[in-house]
Amino acid sequence: MFQRIFLTIKLYSQRHRRYSIWIVVVVPLLLYIINVARNTQPDPFDQPFCNPSDGVCHEKPNVASPRTVYSAWNKEQYDQWWKYHEILNQRAAEYAAKRTIYQANPHEEQQKTRPLILLGDSITESWLGTGLGLPKHRAEGVPEVLNSQLSASQGFDPLVLAVSGDQTQHLLWRLQHGQLLSEYSNDPTAMFVVLIGTNNLGAGELPGPTARGILAVVEYLLKNTSKESSLLIFEVLPRGDGKTWLQDLCPPRCQMSGLPYTSFLPPIQKTNQAVREGLEKLRKTYKASESRLKLMDGGMEFLDSANPDLEVKESLMPDLLHPNAEGHKILAKCIHQFRDHK
């Protein structure tokens, strides 16, 4: 476009030589300045999730919200989130249609499976071997664990409704916008598994609000699923990437000395303690037994007491955050324990 404008200016200046210097020099300079200014506009995605000056975060963990310019790293990830949200809505609709057929033919072996709805972030999406719907090397082997330990051969009919990078408010929003359908939410045999919250802490949110976000998800499920269905809530798993990740969160999340924190384990412990206390209140409010609502501490096996520098076992969490296939076998074992306990 600018080449065409320049050629037009050049032709005009050749015909009107008295204005040639102004036209040939000044006008292109102005166009250049305009172009530079346009290309240096602030990137709306290039801003912290929590305000460095006062620590206030731009989304509330217990208030449903889609991903925004604050929680998406860039425009590409933002667009991919919306695209994958629609894909999950379609999968949920197809799954609901299948469960309707199963309910109409309860005597066939395949139809005897119980719905297993897996809800969460990248750790849960790893069951599919993907992150935001795209193949992930770190999740290699995890779908095989799902197929061998949480599939029809084990009496389950799994549906994975998880998105890499999601926080509690994003999961809550997805549940309210197409991913919790009556065909399986009202099924008394359904089992819902929730693992969420680490990305709230990873974005700079405090333990208290993070716990409230987890509890908001739990309460929404208690209100909108069959009273005979089962809810298994995993505590936030430990992670060992604090030494590198927490540097980017200071400010506002800094020690009294002004230096960055070095470990996620203290805020994770505070979050899990607050969730434990909040779940007891929800049990009383909704008269939910242990078989209806269970909090699972699946993180102890991931901790590496022999190597405090890593904090978690590399053999189970190679990147110190995401469980690999062996790590997901532990999560699958927890799900079986809950099912068998009931």
Side-chain angles (χ1 to χ4, degrees):
M1 181 182 74
F2 288 106
Q3 287 181 337
R4 290 199 299 269
I5 293 173
F6 183 78
L7 287 174
T8 302
I9 292 171
K10 186 177 181 180
L11 289 172
Y12 183 85
S13 65
Q14 289 174 349
R15 296 176 182 175
H16 306 273
R17 295 188 181 276
R18 59 183 295 187
Y19 302 113
S20 61
I21 295 178
W22 189 88
I23 293 173
V24 174
V25 176
V26 178
V27 172
L29 180 60
L30 288 174
L31 291 174
Y32 172 77
I33 293 172
I34 293 171
N35 189 42
V36 169
R38 185 181 63 183
N39 292 329
T40 57
Q41 290 295 316
D43 182 352
F45 294 89
D46 187 21
Q47 49 193 323
F49 183 76
C50 300
N51 194 322
S53 62
D54 58 15
V56 175
C57 301
H58 293 285
E59 297 172 16
K60 293 184 178 180
N62 61 335
V63 178
S65 169
R67 292 280 270 275
T68 68
V69 295
Y70 299 105
S71 50
W73 293 352
N74 50 50
K75 181 65 162 58
E76 181 181 12
Q77 187 193 63
Y78 176 82
D79 292 340
Q80 184 64 24
W81 187 88
W82 283 102
K83 178 181 178 181
Y84 194 49
H85 167 68
E86 291 303 325
I87 290 174
L88 291 184
N89 278 4
Q90 181 61 35
R91 287 179 186 170
E94 293 171 355
Y95 183 87
K98 179 181 68 172
R99 294 307 305 182
T100 299
I101 296 174
Y102 285 3
Q103 291 168 6
N105 301 277
H107 301 297
E108 296 186 26
E109 200 63 31
Q110 180 75 12
Q111 275 78 325
K112 293 179 182 179
T113 56
R114 62 184 302 183
L116 176 64
I117 316 301
L118 300 160
L119 303 166
D121 49 38
S122 57
I123 296 175
T124 300
E125 192 186 342
S126 292
W127 288 117
L128 300 175
T130 63
L132 274 171
L134 305 174
K136 285 291 182 180
H137 176 73
R138 60 170 167 72
E140 285 184 1
V142 180
E144 285 72 23
V145 178
L146 180 73
N147 292 333
S148 63
Q149 299 193 23
L150 297 176
S151 62
S153 62
Q154 301 295 319
F156 291 114
D157 184 16
L159 171 64
V160 180
L161 297 174
V163 180
S164 179
D166 263 11
Q167 300 180 36
T168 55
Q169 64 271 24
H170 308 139
L171 172 56
L172 191 59
W173 192 90
R174 289 192 287 109
L175 290 173
Q176 295 176 7
H177 292 80
Q179 291 175 31
L180 187 64
L181 302 179
S182 60
E183 288 82 356
Y184 48 87
S185 64
N186 291 335
D187 189 328
T189 70
M191 188 173 180
F192 297 86
V193 179
V194 178
L195 178 51
I196 195 73
T198 194
N199 288 319
N200 293 79
L201 297 175
E205 189 59 86
L206 294 171
T210 298
R212 289 195 289 273
I214 296 171
L215 294 169
V217 172
V218 175
E219 185 166 20
Y220 185 81
L221 289 171
L222 285 170
K223 288 180 177 179
N224 294 279
T225 60
S226 168
K227 293 182 179 179
E228 287 76 41
S229 64
S230 303
L231 308 181
L232 175 61
I233 315 302
F234 274 99
E235 292 187 355
V236 178
L237 297 182
R239 53 191 291 179
D241 59 345
K243 287 183 176 65
T244 54
W245 193 262
L246 286 167
Q247 292 179 8
D248 296 332
L249 302 182
C250 176
R253 307 301 176 216
C254 308
Q255 302 181 57
M256 293 295 292
S257 63
L259 296 175
Y261 289 101
T262 59
S263 175
F264 273 112
L265 295 187
I268 287 174
Q269 292 167 354
K270 291 179 181 179
T271 299
N272 289 336
Q273 178 60 33
V275 170
R276 283 192 289 272
E277 295 171 359
L279 240 58
E280 287 304 316
K281 295 179 181 179
L282 288 178
R283 281 199 184 94
K284 293 178 181 178
T285 300
Y286 293 92
K287 297 180 175 59
S289 65
E290 282 280 331
S291 60
R292 166 70 164 143
L293 176 61
K294 174 72 174 179
L295 181 65
M296 179 69 71
D297 177 8
M300 291 299 296
E301 293 190 55
F302 291 96
L303 290 171
D304 190 351
S305 57
N307 193 340
D309 287 335
L310 291 179
E311 297 186 311
V312 296
K313 297 175 182 176
E314 278 190 297
S315 60
L316 299 176
M317 287 180 166
D319 66 356
L320 309 183
L321 172 60
H322 297 92
N324 57 11
E326 289 302 311
H328 274 78
K329 288 179 182 178
I330 295 173
L331 302 181
K333 180 182 176 182
C334 292
I335 294 172
H336 276 276
Q337 287 176 348
F338 180 52
R339 192 261 311 263
D340 297 340
H341 172 73
K342 183 176 180 179

